[in-house]
Amino acid sequence: MLAKSSTEIVRQQNSGLVLAQLRRHGPLSHTELSDRTGLSSATVSAITAELERHQVIERQEQAPPAGRGRPRVSFTQRRECGYLIAVRISSDQLEYSLVDYGGTLIDRLEETRRGQDEARSFASALRNTIERLCERSSLSLGEIRVVSISSKGLVDPLQPVLLWSPVFGDVSVDFSAIRGGGLEPDILLSNETRLVAGALARIVERQADERGTLPPRALCALSLGHGIGLGIAHLDPSGEYQVAAPDFGHMLHLANGGLCRCGSIGCIEATAGFYGILRTAFEVPSDTIPARFVPIIEMEKLAANARRGDRQAQFAFRQAGLALGQGLGRMQSLNEKMPVYFTGPGVRFYDLMERGLMEGLGQSRAIRREGMPELHIILDETALVFAGHLDLALGHMDRTAISASQE
Ligand SMILES: [Zn+2]
């Protein structure tokens, strides 16, 4: 491959700025694009003309407000330029969403997961559902440009391979097997809490933009449920958030602690995940093999007992809070003070964990010195996961469209 000249690189970057602004604030007029990107009027014209010619963006005309004068012309991503499918894998179900390039949800399918031995045939089952989604919307497989998949667990940073997950355990799943027979999408595989942190970063960025203030330098999302997931977003020097999902739930909490689903002893999850809380509440030996899945109704019953005054149930939730608080304290020592957004099904038991959480946070010297981080509770995690998928996949489609239009 020939190296790109510096002019080409600048042109790509500028086109990227235009598409990113349309993505975040669109539709936008020529003048608004120039204001928001800081690019000259001539540069914006050249870029929009090129993207229009390649059918990446299109014009919209709106009648002037008073019904007289020239119509307002604005640009927006052309919806039919390509499609993406977002797949959310969770402990009990699979959710598929078909979305166009403009970010509009076209169709959604939910499937109940079939059981534990599905890992080997998982990619082909996923492909079948993608075919069904395409059929329902009369799309050809070739129009699917991106398949964005999320799961809890560990993903390979370089290829679409799920290395370890609560759903499939140590059996890895290679999603590139869905390709072939006309289906050749780019496959993006993400840890689910990483998507949540990415979506939150986008929200706080927009709020700061509206208020005219600076966005926070960092933030994190802590997802509470059967397992514990963490996503961190950091502002890089160019002002973009970089998001990562360190293996927080499997950091050591207690030497000689409970057996974790990952096979280690004493992970944060083994105390603070749903199965860990149940184990403490019922005084089950801590080396008992963790349940693969705990129905939320079991946790609701335990929480009701705790709220009625059952000491052992209260203790179990408090120990969970303590493990989370100490873990967050360590994280603040290694990073910097940042707001924490609690999400996931476990937030409904936040009141029962709060005392332990505060106690754990208060044990950290970094927190005693810098003060408590802001703590927020977000109830709708599903919406954030979906927003994270869109942000990632549509951004990827924008970059691919720019490369294709400048070849
Ligand atoms: Zn573990």
Side-chain angles (χ1 to χ4, degrees):
M1 197 175 103
L2 289 172
K4 285 198 185 336
S5 73
S6 56
T7 3
E8 280 175 295
I9 292 170
V10 169
R11 208 155 54 117
Q12 285 211 348
Q13 282 172 344
N14 290 343
S15 304
L17 285 176
V18 166
L19 285 186
Q21 290 304 322
L22 289 179
R23 193 59 78 195
R24 285 178 206 178
H25 308 282
L28 296 174
S29 71
H30 180 275
T31 318
E32 287 166 333
L33 274 175
S34 178
D35 288 347
R36 286 201 168 269
T37 56
L39 299 171
S40 73
S41 179
T43 305
V44 170
S45 294
I47 291 171
T48 51
E50 188 174 60
L51 292 173
E52 264 190 288
R53 196 168 60 245
H54 285 88
Q55 301 192 318
V56 175
I57 62 171
E58 62 189 6
R59 285 162 192 257
Q60 287 183 342
E61 288 196 3
Q62 262 179 322
R68 283 187 314 194
R70 291 211 308 211
R72 181 191 139 93
V73 177
S74 49
F75 295 99
T76 179
Q77 266 90 352
R78 197 175 68 87
R79 288 176 59 186
E80 305 79 22
C81 183
Y83 297 83
L84 72 94
I85 291 177
V87 186
R88 184 187 187 189
I89 304 171
S90 52
S91 319
D92 52 346
Q93 71 163 17
L94 296 164
E95 185 192 79
Y96 296 78
S97 309
L98 174 66
V99 178
D100 68 26
Y101 184 52
T104 307
L105 175 67
I106 296 173
D107 194 5
R108 181 167 276 169
L109 262 179
E110 280 166 14
E111 286 176 347
T112 307
R113 288 202 30 251
R114 291 161 299 137
Q116 298 178 7
D117 54 334
E118 62 182 320
R120 274 166 245 282
S121 59
F122 188 73
S124 65
L126 200 142
R127 188 197 154 90
N128 290 343
T129 309
I130 290 175
E131 286 177 6
R132 197 143 64 86
L133 267 175
C134 286
E135 257 173 49
R136 284 180 15 158
S137 292
S138 308
L139 294 174
S140 70
L141 291 174
E143 287 176 278
I144 305 300
R145 301 292 159 82
V146 173
V147 174
S148 177
I149 305 164
S150 66
S151 168
K152 298 226 157 71
L154 265 189
V155 304
D156 189 301
L158 300 175
Q159 39 188 357
V161 177
L162 187 59
L163 299 173
W164 180 89
S165 64
V167 172
F168 304 118
D170 278 321
V171 182
S172 67
V173 182
D174 183 354
F175 290 101
S176 51
I178 66 167
R179 291 205 186 97
L183 180 68
E184 294 297 335
D186 290 337
I187 303 171
L188 309 175
L189 173 64
S190 312
N191 168 285
E192 187 179 283
T193 317
R194 183 191 178 283
L195 291 184
V196 171
L200 282 167
R202 205 54 91 201
I203 292 170
V204 299
E205 207 171 33
R206 196 166 53 236
Q207 287 169 342
D209 187 56
E210 281 161 10
R211 284 197 302 260
T213 55
L214 289 174
R217 279 153 40 103
L219 62 86
C220 71
L222 191 64
S223 177
L224 311 180
H226 200 59
I228 305 295
L230 178 85
I232 306 187
H234 278 284
L235 267 188
D236 71 10
S238 72
E240 289 287 319
Y241 277 107
Q242 299 299 330
V243 194
D247 210 6
F248 181 87
H250 301 280
M251 281 185 0
L252 180 67
H253 167 56
L254 282 178
N256 310 318
L259 175 63
C260 181
R261 274 185 306 173
C262 73
S264 299
I265 300 287
C267 298
I268 290 180
E269 179 189 295
T271 299
F274 284 171
Y275 68 89
I277 298 175
L278 279 177
R279 225 167 26 190
T280 314
F282 294 106
E283 299 178 79
V284 176
S286 66
D287 59 355
T288 306
I289 292 180
R292 282 181 80 92
F293 179 63
V294 177
I296 191 81
I297 186 86
E298 294 300 318
M299 295 304 294
E300 295 282 11
K301 276 190 220 156
L302 185 69
N305 288 346
R307 292 187 183 111
R308 273 199 298 268
D310 180 320
R311 289 297 179 86
Q312 193 59 31
Q314 287 174 344
F315 176 72
F317 281 107
R318 218 173 84 208
Q319 290 305 104
L322 189 67
L324 297 173
Q326 289 179 340
L328 285 171
R330 290 187 185 116
M331 197 189 71
Q332 186 160 324
S333 304
L334 292 169
N335 288 273
E336 57 185 313
K337 186 175 167 180
M338 66 179 87
V340 182
Y341 293 82
F342 292 95
T343 68
V347 293
R348 63 185 88 180
F349 315 121
Y350 185 87
D351 58 321
L352 296 165
M353 293 190 261
E354 193 170 14
R355 220 173 105 199
L357 180 73
M358 293 303 158
E359 193 185 325
L361 283 166
Q363 289 168 353
S364 152
R365 194 174 98 102
I367 286 176
R368 288 205 304 277
R369 199 176 56 234
E370 297 161 18
M372 279 283 173
E374 277 174 42
L375 304 175
H376 304 271
I377 296 172
I378 306 251
L379 296 174
D380 192 358
E381 186 179 52
T382 308
L384 286 175
V385 173
F386 184 59
H389 270 294
L390 293 197
D391 189 43
L392 195 75
L394 294 171
H396 181 87
M397 286 169 83
D398 283 346
R399 286 188 294 280
T400 313
I402 291 167
S403 310
S405 70
Q406 296 188 351
E407 263 164 13

